[in-house]
Amino acid sequence: MNEAITVSQFVEVINFTLEGALGRITVEGEVDEFKIIHNKWVTFALKDAQSSVNCFMTVWQYKAQIEDGMKVKATGMPKLRNKGFFSFVLDSVIPSGEGALKRALQLLQRQLEAEGLFAQERKRMLPRFPQHVALITSRDAAAYKDFIKVLGGRMGGLTVAFLHTQVQGEDAPRQIREALEVANTELGNLDAIVLVRGGGSLEDLMAFNDEGVVRAVATSRTPTIVGIGHERDITLAELVADVRASTPSNAAELLVPSRQEVLAEIEGMNLRLKNGISQTIGQIQAQVTEAVHALKTRIASTSNQVMRRVESLVGLGQRLRFTVAQQDKQVTTMERVLASLSPTNTLKRGYSITKTADGTLVRSKRGIKSGETLTSVVQDGEITSTVVG
Amino acid sequence: MSKQSKKEEFNFTKGYEELEKIVTDFESRELDLEKDLPQFERGLELAGKLKKRLQEIENTVIEIEKKFEQE
């Protein structure tokens, strides 16, 4: 006969046996009666067509978005509780299957959106010319090669601190979170953190929809640029990032401008600078030319005035000479008239001048007495005569 | 090491912004040839340095030795 054991011992033995027999086990089923109690515990029933098992977990271990009817993979240990009821104590529950993943994603997206994590005003600008960046991805992924290759064709001179992590699988979210933490705290002043991964199924990309990763991206002190999958894939990490790239290659393009583009900008500024100065020099040249022209005009006008003065003086001289000549002519005429009027010429024509003895000119017979002597001047001499009557 | 210190001497972003500022300033007012010539020369110097920096085609990738994978 077996010795009796206490109830507590019985529960302990059963739990020990279950743990030994099953260990940590994952069960897939549908969620029913999902509840969060006092924001501390999560309870739901995991069921299939025939059976149902009560599940229990703490809120801090609950990282997915679950609702009734969702298919999940629940991982934990079966346990008989002290009160005698059986419970599947979980440390992880994740949506299972495309439909459930999509639904969980939808629920998380709705919640984060309500918190304002996707708001445009939260987005920070990346520096135009980053110099130091951190790159988080898997070294084995095509995304790494694509990003580095495209980056090589851009501006250059960039230092990339590369942090290798898994980008899919159960441990990927934790690794990515830690890499983000390291980049933000241990790598000095970074201009940006780049998180990239190539395309894949929704399940492959789930690390970038993990609430912890999404929140770590959202709260990153360094601006983030996230490019996950192909263009059509959108993950929540991309939605909270400061810059969303459509692919890893696009992340490189958005991060660093092309060399040609920047070179053209610098050449343009160089030209604008030179234009500014040339224009100023041109203006000064024009001013100098104008001043020289004004001076020349002034000199020309002064010399014109002088010329006019000289010309007028010359004219004056000519007029004077003419006047003098005129005067000369008049004098000659007058001389001729005078000459014609002189007594000598009159005498030549046969006239004579008669004077009395005292030299008085005889102009009339009055006063002339008989016997008086008169002298007549003729052309060639004098004739003395005596008055007889 | 010398490459590193050279990089620290000339910050591309600051150089670019300074050049942009000079160009904008020059285009916004009448220039005084004598007074503005030093700025003009500074602008040309910056453009030259920026173009030189663009010739540095190499990016440097340093892998951070940090194991995130659990042992």
Side-chain angles (χ1 to χ4, degrees):
Chain A
M1 181 97 183
N2 284 342
E3 237 180 83
I5 57 170
T6 63
V7 178
S8 294
Q9 281 172 334
F10 174 67
V11 169
E12 207 173 306
V13 167
I14 287 184
N15 282 336
F16 184 77
T17 310
L18 281 174
E19 199 179 319
L22 296 172
R24 192 165 170 268
I25 188 168
T26 300
V27 181
E28 191 174 39
E30 199 183 296
V31 173
D32 194 23
E33 293 178 41
F34 178 87
K35 277 183 206 131
I36 294 178
I37 300 162
H38 301 316
N39 210 23
K40 280 184 184 167
W41 303 288
V42 174
T43 64
F44 60 89
L46 191 64
K47 61 176 193 178
D48 60 18
Q50 289 86 35
S51 309
S52 175
V53 168
N54 289 326
C55 294
F56 173 89
M57 75 191 298
T58 58
V59 158
W60 69 268
Q61 284 173 312
Y62 170 70
K63 294 193 173 77
Q65 292 286 332
I66 305 294
E67 64 177 2
D68 287 353
M70 190 180 275
K71 202 170 166 193
V72 296
K73 280 179 184 160
T75 306
M77 308 260 245
K79 202 170 178 180
L80 186 65
R81 312 304 294 256
N82 290 341
K83 299 280 181 194
F85 61 87
F86 178 80
S87 176
F88 188 17
V89 180
L90 308 177
D91 54 57
S92 154
V93 58
I94 52 168
S96 169
E98 195 82 358
L101 283 177
K102 274 189 183 156
R103 180 64 188 145
L105 189 58
Q106 211 176 36
L107 290 172
L108 180 60
Q109 183 166 355
R110 201 177 291 166
Q111 185 192 325
L112 297 177
E113 194 155 16
E115 288 179 32
L117 286 193
F118 305 140
Q120 209 52 42
E121 52 268 27
R122 288 189 78 253
K123 311 277 181 203
R124 291 166 294 183
M125 290 272 287
L126 259 53
R128 174 94 200 280
F129 308 112
Q131 298 203 306
H132 302 281
V133 301
L135 169 65
I136 301 173
T137 190
S138 163
R139 76 167 72 84
D140 313 313
Y144 173 82
K145 291 182 190 76
D146 289 350
F147 179 81
I148 295 292
K149 188 181 163 202
V150 173
L151 204 62
R154 308 293 286 176
M155 202 177 110
L158 184 74
T159 307
V160 182
F162 171 54
L163 297 146
H164 166 73
T165 66
Q166 287 181 7
V167 288
Q168 71 183 77
E170 204 184 329
D171 201 34
R174 185 191 59 78
Q175 290 186 22
I176 295 167
R177 279 200 315 272
E178 281 181 20
L180 280 164
E181 180 63 16
V182 167
N184 268 310
T185 56
E186 293 177 30
L187 296 184
N189 275 337
L190 292 174
D191 295 312
I193 295 176
V194 184
L195 184 58
V196 289
R197 190 214 187 278
S201 68
L202 182 60
E203 200 167 349
D204 290 341
L205 303 183
M206 275 319 269
F208 301 92
N209 288 320
D210 174 86
E211 188 174 347
V213 169
V214 175
R215 289 193 186 278
V217 171
T219 54
S220 169
R221 278 194 297 283
T222 308
T224 52
I225 173 164
V226 181
I228 308 296
H230 301 302
E231 282 197 55
R232 62 172 191 281
D233 301 323
I234 299 176
T235 59
L236 299 182
E238 289 168 277
L239 296 181
V240 294
D242 291 299
V243 176
R244 190 215 155 205
S246 56
T247 61
S249 301
N250 182 235
E253 287 165 357
L254 294 178
L255 181 68
V256 179
S258 87
R259 184 178 296 122
Q260 287 77 6
E261 181 188 319
V262 180
L263 194 63
E265 284 173 20
I266 294 168
E267 292 288 9
M269 286 200 279
N270 206 0
L271 197 68
R272 281 156 68 194
L273 204 61
K274 283 178 181 165
N275 277 348
I277 283 289
S278 316
Q279 235 170 37
T280 310
I281 292 173
Q283 280 167 2
I284 291 170
Q285 272 175 343
Q287 282 168 4
V288 169
T289 309
E290 203 178 311
V292 167
H293 180 72
L295 207 59
K296 274 184 183 167
T297 313
R298 186 93 179 268
I299 289 169
S301 112
T302 310
S303 72
N304 273 347
Q305 280 172 6
V306 171
M307 281 303 288
R308 275 202 297 277
R309 282 293 272 283
V310 169
E311 275 167 14
S312 80
L313 280 173
V314 169
L316 196 65
Q318 277 171 348
R319 276 207 304 281
L320 274 172
R321 267 204 297 281
F322 178 75
T323 310
V324 169
Q326 288 287 99
Q327 298 280 331
D328 269 359
K329 221 188 243 173
Q330 276 181 0
V331 169
T332 310
T333 311
M334 279 168 78
E335 271 175 355
R336 211 175 294 141
V337 171
L338 275 176
S340 71
L341 291 175
S342 85
T344 316
N345 284 349
T346 311
L347 292 178
K348 274 183 189 164
R349 291 206 300 274
Y351 293 95
S352 62
I353 301 162
T354 305
K355 300 173 193 172
T356 59
D358 58 2
T360 309
L361 282 175
V362 178
R363 300 180 194 270
S364 163
K365 65 178 186 183
R366 274 189 308 223
I368 303 298
K369 294 176 184 106
S370 185
E372 201 174 341
T373 304
L374 301 172
T375 306
S376 297
V377 181
V378 292
Q379 181 192 343
D380 52 352
E382 287 178 356
I383 301 167
T384 308
S385 55
T386 306
V387 179
V388 287
Chain B
M1 191 64 204
S2 68
K3 199 178 173 189
Q4 187 66 28
S5 59
K6 218 195 272 175
K7 271 185 185 175
E8 275 163 20
E9 271 170 34
F10 184 68
N11 180 308
F12 193 90
T13 303
K14 281 186 185 159
Y16 189 93
E17 283 171 358
E18 191 183 341
L19 177 59
E20 244 180 349
K21 215 171 130 189
I22 294 173
V23 172
T24 313
D25 173 47
F26 268 34
E27 286 178 339
S28 67
R29 63 183 173 85
E30 288 279 314
L31 296 185
D32 181 324
L33 204 53
E34 213 172 324
K35 242 171 64 186
D36 292 321
L37 210 56
Q39 276 299 83
F40 172 68
E41 282 166 348
R42 173 73 181 147
L44 291 187
E45 184 197 350
L46 284 169
K49 278 185 176 176
L50 290 168
K51 279 198 276 185
K52 195 163 163 266
R53 266 300 301 278
L54 279 178
Q55 308 307 318
E56 285 181 30
I57 50 168
E58 295 297 314
N59 290 315
T60 315
V61 180
I62 304 162
E63 183 158 353
I64 305 299
E65 293 300 327
K66 199 103 187 173
K67 291 271 177 283
F68 299 110
E69 283 167 59
Q70 277 167 338
E71 302 292 322

